Amino acid sequence: MTGPESEGLPLRRAVCPGSFDPITNGHLDIIGRASKLYDVVHVAVMINQSKHGLFTVEERIELIREVTREYGNVEVESHHGLLVDFCKQRDIPAIVKGLRAVSDFDYELQMAQMNNGLSGVETLFVPTNPTYSFLSSSLVKEVATGVCDGAHLVPPVVVEALRERLKKH
Ligand code: ADP
């Protein structure tokens, strides 16, 4: 065994939170980059009971597991409640988020400051790959209801899942 664990050092952990309904290439880009920087990357699928998703939380988790398997250090779980509690329970000191545009910034800054004030957990912002700066799960769902299946926006298994869910053949 090599790496921090074999040397008795604690594993460096980070979390990528979101609703992932469904996971897009933009999410995947951020998770993949985080997986190169940390020993373990936790993906937290945040449960929002007031929002009815296109995919169930279990389906979202399954899709994320499938498309992140090759990274080898990504763990996917759901979480209901505060993200800082998820972090505390797993000894995670850092939240990694993608910043798409200035429009993301105000809200993300407030959340980062609130989370840090609540628990000391840090938020690290990764600039979005410009190819995906316009991309969101909601846009993907809209596009997928039309003639385009969004194959350039999401991984192939997600295209299939969208086709199945929206019954397009
Ligand atoms: P949505 O994709 O609907 O905006 P999520 O809640 O699933 O919402 O997104 C979770 C997080 O994933 C965002 O806060 C952001 O950090 C990151 N993210 C989402 N889309 C992208 C993208 N296209 N590029 C980079 N990061 C993204």
Side-chain angles (χ1 to χ4, degrees):
M1 191 165 50
T2 56
E5 217 173 8
S6 63
E7 291 160 26
L9 297 171
L11 293 175
R12 289 170 316 139
R13 298 173 183 275
V15 60
C16 294
S19 37
F20 304 101
D21 185 38
I23 186 163
T24 68
N25 288 341
H27 293 127
L28 200 52
D29 179 59
I30 300 297
I31 297 168
R33 286 157 75 187
S35 85
K36 290 190 194 136
L37 298 171
Y38 288 89
D39 300 317
V40 183
V41 173
H42 296 259
V43 175
V45 178
M46 304 302 285
I47 300 172
N48 180 349
Q49 264 147 1
S50 61
K51 241 183 175 176
H52 186 72
L54 180 64
F55 294 98
T56 67
V57 169
E58 291 69 31
E59 287 169 334
R60 294 179 217 175
I61 289 178
E62 210 33 62
L63 288 171
I64 302 169
R65 283 203 178 122
E66 214 165 318
V67 299
T68 58
R69 193 162 292 136
E70 67 189 86
Y71 300 137
N73 63 344
V74 175
E75 292 182 11
V76 192
E77 291 170 86
S78 62
H79 183 66
H80 181 256
L82 290 180
L83 181 60
V84 289
D85 290 333
F86 182 93
C87 294
K88 213 184 294 163
Q89 287 152 9
R90 293 161 186 78
D91 243 340
I92 300 171
I95 300 167
V96 174
K97 302 216 81 177
L99 266 192
R100 280 169 283 197
V102 187
S103 51
D104 276 348
F105 186 73
D106 271 355
Y107 182 62
E108 292 294 348
L109 181 65
Q110 277 179 22
M111 268 207 303
Q113 289 168 330
M114 174 64 82
N115 285 336
N116 186 257
L118 284 174
S119 67
V121 71
E122 294 289 358
T123 300
L124 304 175
F125 293 112
V126 177
T128 297
N129 178 331
T131 318
Y132 306 128
S133 60
F134 62 91
L135 190 51
S136 69
S137 298
S138 23
L139 257 183
V140 164
K141 284 181 277 192
E142 267 183 52
V143 166
T145 58
V147 284
C148 171
D149 59 9
H152 55 304
L153 308 175
V154 294
V157 283
V158 178
V159 174
E160 272 315 306
L162 280 165
R163 246 183 228 157
E164 185 53 37
R165 185 54 38 98
L166 302 168
K167 283 283 176 263
K168 291 201 315 177
H169 296 287

